[in-house]
């Protein structure tokens, strides 16, 4: 069996920088509150009418493909991770295939939110290892700015998220470098505490509770309604403190799982690239695992939480800054909505 190596990385972030102070135009918040709770100073928002999740993914993909020394025509499988697709269906994978004039290859969309990139990486790894494909493109991209509640009501969520895209190309490794292992987990018990319910086919049931104040007759009629708009039901919901609590439990657990399976220790890690959920979460994980500052890469300060894009953007930046060299041990780890969480250990 082959090992899978990441042979090209790319990223794209929109030009529009939105500072915490810029958000004061829409909601009651403060730079101090946002920085203290999340570490975020600014984020990027896509151009409202010219950029989409797919177009940003394409820009990141072009760079990753070029750096892998191949062309879009050489790609033989696409995996696209996002929670903010251009269309409810079809997914962004086929839109990218069309935009990049690729061959009639397989295109798979992954909907695992914050852990989407690592889930995609794990799927791609299996296809390379068993010899089915030679050049797989993985993209994580999000256009959050289009679907957030920018009133004070939605401030606990809207200040956190930003737009952008990252991409990697996977190929068979010719030596012992590459992905050592991936680890995927889920627990749907609290699926609704970080979720966007509408539009959806949930029939207004959340376990034995009702999701929203709609009677059954209305639910029977609608997929999307004026009442949903009036009651701001078309935005994500999040119980921040509950997410925080679970994240600081599962991040260290899944990182240690990856190291233990490979008989390695935290001191062997050159770089941990955690999903950029919240700087306080990353700092907690760093402390808990006894990692030094230069063993952990964070860039949430500049981009906010870009969900499926956050790990490939951070990976690309760290690589561009010379923080990742051949032979280095890199750990990617994520936790998010679902809940799902995951890690990947890579010998670069
Ligand atoms: C969202 C998060 C930053 C909120 O911080 P917190 O300290 O838990 O804050 P709470 O939600 O308990 O709210 C505390 C107060 O701040 C207020 N608040 C919430 N958002 C605010 C904002 N943007 N600006 C100012 N005040 C805000 C709340 O209304 C609340 O006010 P109250 O005490 O008068 O009711 C934090 O819970 C978090 O980061 N959780 C993890 C979220 C995450 O990582 N999500 C992505 C998963 S991948």
């Amino acid at each position: 069996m082959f090992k899978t190596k990441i042979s090209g990385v790319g990223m794209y972030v929109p030009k529009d920088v939105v500072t915490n102070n810029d958000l004061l135009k829409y909601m009651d918040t403060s730079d101090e509150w946002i920085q203290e709770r999340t570490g975020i100073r600014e984020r990027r928002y896509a151009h409202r009418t010219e950029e989409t999740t797919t177009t940003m993914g394409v820009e990141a993909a072009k760079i990753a493909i070029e750096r892998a020394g191949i062309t879009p025509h050489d790609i033989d499988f696409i995996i696209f991770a996002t929670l903010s697709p251009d269309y409810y269906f079809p997914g962004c994978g086929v839109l990218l295939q069309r935009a990049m004039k690729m061959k009639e290859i397989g295109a798979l969309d992954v909907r695992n939110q914050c852990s989407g990139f690592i889930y995609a990486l794990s799927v791609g790894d299996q296809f390379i290892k068993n010899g089915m494909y030679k050049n797989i493109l993985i993209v994580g991209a999000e256009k959050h700015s289009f679907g957030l509640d920018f009133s004070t009501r939605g401030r606990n969520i809207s200040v956190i998220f930003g737009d952008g895209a990252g991409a990697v190309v996977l190929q068979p490794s010719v030596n012992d470098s590459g992905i050592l292992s991936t680890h995927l987990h889920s627990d749907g018990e609290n699926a609704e505490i970080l979720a966007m319910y509408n539009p959806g086919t949930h029939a207004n049931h959340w376990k034995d509770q009702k999701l929203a104040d709609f009677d059954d007759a209305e639910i029977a009629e609608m997929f999307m309604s004026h009442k949903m708009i009036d009651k701001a039901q078309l935005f994500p919901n999040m119980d921040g403190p509950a997410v925080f609590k679970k994240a600081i439990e599962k991040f260290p657990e899944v990182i240690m799982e990856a190291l233990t399976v490979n008989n390695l220790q935290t001191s062997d890690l050159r770089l941990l690239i955690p999903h950029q959920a919240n700087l306080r979460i990353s700092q907690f994980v760093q402390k808990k695992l006894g990692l030094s500052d230069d063993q952990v890469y964070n860039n949430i300060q500049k981009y906010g939480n870009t969900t499926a894009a956050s790990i490939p953007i951070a990976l690309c930046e760290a690589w561009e800054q010379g923080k990742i060299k051949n032979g280095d041990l890199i750990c990617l780890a994520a936790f998010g909505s679902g809940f799902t969480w995951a890690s990947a250990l890579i010998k670069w």
Side-chain angles (χ1 to χ4, degrees):
M1 268 218 279
F2 302 101
K3 269 206 175 64
T4 307
K5 70 167 182 183
I6 294 178
S7 53
V9 291
M11 63 175 273
Y12 173 83
V13 287
K15 287 182 187 54
D16 188 11
V17 176
V18 178
T19 65
N20 293 341
N21 282 329
D22 291 334
L23 295 176
L24 297 177
K25 277 181 254 165
Y26 314 106
M27 64 186 82
D28 178 15
T29 186
S30 68
D31 179 46
E32 194 189 2
W33 192 97
I34 300 170
Q35 287 215 43
E36 193 184 302
R37 300 294 220 287
T38 69
I40 299 166
R41 292 196 302 266
E42 59 192 39
R43 73 286 291 140
R44 305 292 180 98
Y45 285 169
H47 191 284
R48 304 284 286 184
T49 55
E50 286 170 15
E51 290 182 308
T52 73
T53 295
T54 301
T55 68
M56 291 188 286
V58 167
E59 293 308 315
K62 282 183 194 164
I63 299 167
I65 290 171
E66 195 187 328
R67 284 178 175 162
I70 57 173
T71 71
H73 199 70
D74 297 314
I75 296 295
D76 40 28
F77 194 60
I78 301 162
I79 312 180
F80 201 121
T82 186
L83 65 66
S84 49
D86 293 26
Y87 303 134
Y88 194 78
F89 71 84
C92 291
V94 297
L95 304 182
L96 180 137
Q97 182 271 346
R98 176 176 69 187
M100 299 193 79
K101 299 183 172 49
M102 289 170 166
K103 290 179 295 191
E104 292 178 349
I105 53 174
L108 173 70
D109 277 60
V110 167
R111 291 196 43 188
N112 277 66
Q113 297 71 247
C114 303
S115 65
F117 180 77
I118 301 182
Y119 268 72
L121 193 72
S122 180
V123 172
D125 181 32
Q126 312 313 314
F127 282 131
I128 297 279
K129 277 197 297 205
N130 73 17
M132 184 156 169
Y133 296 126
K134 294 208 161 29
N135 297 298
I136 297 182
L137 174 68
I138 298 186
V139 177
E142 304 287 359
K143 184 176 172 181
H144 280 302
S145 59
F146 212 61
L148 296 171
D149 179 358
F150 285 104
S151 72
T152 297
R153 181 185 51 207
R155 65 185 177 175
N156 68 320
I157 298 182
S158 49
V159 301
I160 294 179
F161 293 100
D163 301 341
V168 301
V169 171
L170 302 185
Q171 291 179 333
S173 172
V174 288
N175 52 36
D176 72 338
S177 66
I179 297 173
L180 303 182
S181 61
T182 56
H183 307 270
L184 311 179
H185 295 281
S186 72
D187 175 4
E189 181 59 24
N190 292 305
E192 287 78 5
I193 73 173
L194 176 47
M196 183 168 146
Y197 320 126
N198 299 312
T201 60
H202 50 70
N204 208 23
H205 295 149
W206 166 5
K207 298 190 222 165
D208 53 352
Q209 301 170 39
K210 283 197 169 237
L211 265 180
D213 182 22
F214 297 121
D215 60 35
D216 281 355
E218 282 174 296
I219 285 294
E221 294 294 322
M222 73 185 160
F223 178 64
M224 195 187 292
S225 70
H226 286 293
K227 197 164 171 185
M228 277 183 193
I229 296 168
D230 295 344
K231 294 192 149 208
Q233 293 278 326
L234 290 167
F235 296 118
N237 292 279
M238 178 174 76
D239 176 346
V243 174
F244 195 101
K245 213 169 136 203
K246 199 76 175 172
I248 59 173
E249 177 193 333
K250 293 300 176 188
F251 260 113
E253 205 177 280
V254 80
I255 295 164
M256 287 314 297
E257 180 185 351
L259 290 169
T260 308
V261 161
N262 291 284
N263 290 318
L264 293 162
Q265 295 162 13
T266 50
S267 55
D268 296 313
L269 272 182
R270 168 66 195 93
L271 205 58
L272 167 67
I273 301 182
H275 160 55
Q276 301 292 290
N278 178 324
L279 189 62
R280 305 294 160 242
I281 294 176
S282 294
Q283 289 168 336
F284 184 96
V285 174
Q286 176 180 341
K287 198 166 169 209
K288 172 119 191 193
L289 298 180
L291 298 169
S292 63
D293 285 350
D294 65 352
Q295 278 180 297
V296 183
Y297 192 80
N298 289 304
N299 61 6
I300 191 171
Q301 301 91 329
K302 292 188 291 182
Y303 303 127
N305 178 342
T306 57
T307 310
S310 94
I311 290 180
I313 288 176
L315 180 68
C316 181
E317 262 197 4
W319 180 83
E320 287 174 353
Q321 291 167 10
K323 291 183 193 296
I324 302 177
K325 303 258 183 338
N326 287 348
D328 283 348
L329 189 69
I330 313 296
C331 185
L332 313 179
F335 174 88
S337 160
F339 296 129
T340 65
W341 59 102
S343 63
L345 202 61
I346 304 167
K347 184 173 172 196
W348 200 263

